[in-house]
Amino acid sequence: MYKQILVPVDGSQTALAALRHAVELARAFQAELFVVHVIDIYPFLGMATDTAVGQAEYLSAANANAEGALRAAVAVVEAAGVPCESATIEGHAAEEGILQAAGTCGADLIVMGSHGRRGIEKLLLGSVTQRVLQNARVPVMVVRGSEA
């Protein structure tokens, strides 16, 4: 049924919970996992702090965070003996990077975590998961994390 499962990770416990579900699905369907981390390369748009120094420092920290998140995710997948590829995707919005990666890797399922934000926090931070659900062309499994 599923051959290629995309799992976006951000280093959170919620993303790791989704990854564990994806690993079990991959085992059951003999599928491969494609694990991605999306870096917003333009986080300062609309803010007065868009300087070359600020941007360079941000990108350095964002890449280090991506490497750590992917390293941890790949370790979980490899320990389970499931075939896996990983990549860091650069984009303007996380959901756009996730959807682009899904198309590029030929994903037939996206498994991702939801932090379960509500109220003003959801209004201010938005919901990447909700936007992926609205725009994905393949099924999306949402795993509620312990942070919800």
Side-chain angles (χ1 to χ4, degrees):
M1 177 171 223
Y2 301 115
K3 297 295 177 203
Q4 183 74 292
I5 301 172
L6 177 77
V7 186
V9 296
D10 60 4
S12 69
Q13 291 303 309
T14 302
L16 285 177
L19 180 67
R20 288 186 197 99
H21 280 274
V23 165
E24 292 307 316
L25 286 169
R27 280 183 175 163
F29 292 108
Q30 297 179 342
E32 295 181 5
L33 292 183
F34 191 73
V35 182
V36 298
H37 181 92
V38 180
I39 295 176
D40 181 351
I41 57 172
Y42 302 111
F44 300 122
L45 285 181
M47 301 178 91
T49 58
D50 188 13
T51 65
V53 172
Q55 182 74 3
E57 290 171 350
Y58 163 77
L59 287 174
S60 177
N63 278 301
N65 183 55
E67 288 175 25
L70 288 173
R71 190 176 321 111
V74 169
V76 168
V77 176
E78 287 178 346
V82 173
C84 176
E85 290 187 41
S86 65
T88 299
I89 307 292
E90 292 183 347
H92 178 59
E95 65 275 5
E96 290 173 10
I98 292 166
L99 295 169
Q100 177 187 10
T104 301
C105 78
D108 44 23
L109 176 67
I110 300 170
V111 177
M112 62 189 300
S114 174
H115 293 280
R117 292 184 179 104
R118 290 185 172 82
I120 192 73
E121 185 179 39
K122 182 176 181 180
L123 180 66
L124 292 174
L125 297 176
S127 171
V128 171
T129 304
Q130 183 63 39
R131 290 188 294 267
V132 169
L133 279 166
Q134 290 172 335
N135 297 298
R137 297 182 184 206
V138 298
V140 179
M141 174 186 275
V142 178
V143 176
R144 294 288 298 265
S146 59
E147 298 169 2

